[in-house]
Amino acid sequence: MALKAETHPIATSNDVVRVRQIVRAATIQLKFSLVEQTKFVTATSELARNTLEHGGGGWMTLEMVKNGLREGIKLTFRDNGPGIADIELALSEGYTSAGGMGLGLSGSKRLVNEFEITSELGQGTTVIVTRWK
Amino acid sequence: MDRIPILKFGDCLLITIQVDMHDQLALTLQEDLTAQIAKHASRGVLIDISSLEIVDSFIGRMLANIAAMSRILDAQTVLTGMQPAVAITLVELGMSLPGIKTALNVERGMDLLQEFIYREPESEDLHGSEG
């Protein structure tokens, strides 16, 4: 169940900093521990940068969600970029297409509770992550 | 344009990263720092990140690059003040920053740098030939 949803553009590297701050504020609101906050904000940073660099920019939607008594934060990163041909490969450790260290997708997957990725060539990529309190 | 200040302190350069770095700022820092090392013939670089609330793979890579570039320019790099939550997250992310020397705070970091810079180069050889 989504309690609240808001969408923010990711078009410049300043937007990556801004969505990090927005997600940080949401984790504080839900009283995440400092380690939980840091993990989720770091995952946000990785995914927002992917949206910017591989997707050519896009959007992040933040939802405060509730499952029974559990509260959490769900983030959807969406772009209209070239898409990912082989998701399995993109998720494997050390895979990189942008000359980085290949930790973006596989690393951020470890920093969240739920991780879902869909991609279509020529259409874009959507990554949905959730971290529960 | 935004810049992270680089302070000269004897043979060393001191950097305190206090802002939430956007990517261009990180790249500018790499260029500024290597130029300063060459200009002052610095032997050590201390980077304090105690104010950084997150280190993602981009910033981690930038720190690793700075250490590698400095080494090639004959300067040692020490990273100080990493917050425990940041350390936990970095390792889980898959980045253990191999090749970067770290210290808990600036004071210990400076001690470590002085040790590396002024260590007698032949002392290890002497031990080797004796043993």
Side-chain angles (χ1 to χ4, degrees), chain A residues 47-88:
Chain A
L47 296 171
R49 184 170 291 107
N50 275 352
T51 300
L52 181 66
E53 286 187 359
H54 304 294
W59 302 266
M60 180 195 82
T61 301
L62 181 149
E63 293 168 77
M64 300 300 231
V65 290
K66 207 165 185 177
N67 183 1
L69 286 175
R70 274 178 111 192
E71 285 183 297
I73 303 171
K74 179 178 171 185
L75 302 176
T76 305
F77 295 86
R78 200 155 42 85
D79 67 60
N80 298 326
I84 301 170
D86 187 341
I87 289 182
E88 287 287 316

Side-chain angles (χ1 to χ4, degrees), chain A residues 1-132:
Chain A
M1 187 177 79
L3 303 175
K4 172 185 136 188
E6 54 187 48
T7 297
H8 305 274
I10 301 170
T12 66
S13 76
N14 272 327
D15 290 337
V16 175
V17 174
R18 206 167 46 86
V19 296
R20 282 205 299 249
Q21 289 163 351
I22 289 164
V23 172
R24 168 80 67 181
T27 60
I28 290 171
Q29 197 188 324
L30 282 195
K31 298 192 171 63
F32 276 33
S33 74
L34 184 57
V35 172
E36 288 171 330
Q37 287 177 30
T38 308
K39 285 182 179 178
F40 202 50
V41 174
T42 304
T44 303
S45 187
E46 299 293 337
L47 296 171
R49 184 170 291 107
N50 275 352
T51 300
L52 181 66
E53 286 187 359
H54 304 294
W59 302 266
M60 180 195 82
T61 301
L62 181 149
E63 293 168 77
M64 300 300 231
V65 290
K66 207 165 185 177
N67 183 1
L69 286 175
R70 274 178 111 192
E71 285 183 297
I73 303 171
K74 179 178 171 185
L75 302 176
T76 305
F77 295 86
R78 200 155 42 85
D79 67 60
N80 298 326
I84 301 170
D86 187 341
I87 289 182
E88 287 287 316
L89 180 65
L91 275 172
S92 62
E93 195 78 15
Y95 173 77
T96 173
S97 58
M101 296 184 91
L103 297 167
L105 276 182
S106 59
S108 50
K109 192 176 174 183
R110 281 194 296 273
L111 296 174
V112 299
N113 297 127
E114 289 167 27
F115 183 98
E116 193 188 318
I117 180 168
T118 50
S119 186
E120 208 172 317
L121 280 181
Q123 302 294 311
T125 303
T126 301
V127 181
I128 304 173
V129 296
T130 307
R131 186 149 184 124
W132 297 102

